[in-house]
Amino acid sequence: MNKYYNLLGLSVEEVEKYFDEKNIKHHTIYIEGGKDKERLTNPRAIKISEIADSVEITATYFSDSLL
């Protein structure tokens, strides 16, 4: 999915705003681990897939220290 490659790693808010501006239907799926949830506060897009007439954004949480 090269056309959305530049959106990977951005905050989910920025990615959703991009698709809203382009009038592309989208939904977001979050992957959450079991460790250190209080430290993982920054949701980032890690995968973007086209599904039928919409886009699926897969996101997970990162800590501030990794950004």
Side-chain angles (χ1 to χ4, degrees):
M1 177 74 40
N2 289 334
K3 65 181 175 180
Y4 299 128
Y5 185 77
N6 61 330
L7 300 175
L8 297 178
L10 296 178
S11 72
V12 172
E13 184 178 295
E14 290 176 79
V15 175
E16 289 176 341
K17 181 179 175 185
Y18 172 84
F19 288 121
D20 287 339
E21 289 173 354
K22 301 280 187 189
N23 293 321
I24 298 173
K25 292 185 218 174
H26 58 84
H27 66 280
T28 305
I29 297 173
Y30 290 93
I31 299 172
E32 296 183 23
K35 292 185 175 184
D36 298 331
K37 286 186 179 182
E38 63 277 350
R39 293 179 56 211
L40 304 176
T41 58
N42 297 301
R44 300 287 175 166
I46 59 170
K47 182 180 176 186
I48 299 173
S49 306
E50 286 184 316
I51 299 177
D53 63 342
S54 67
V55 173
E56 178 180 89
I57 304 163
T58 304
T60 192
Y61 291 89
F62 291 90
S63 70
D64 288 332
S65 65
L66 294 175
L67 303 176

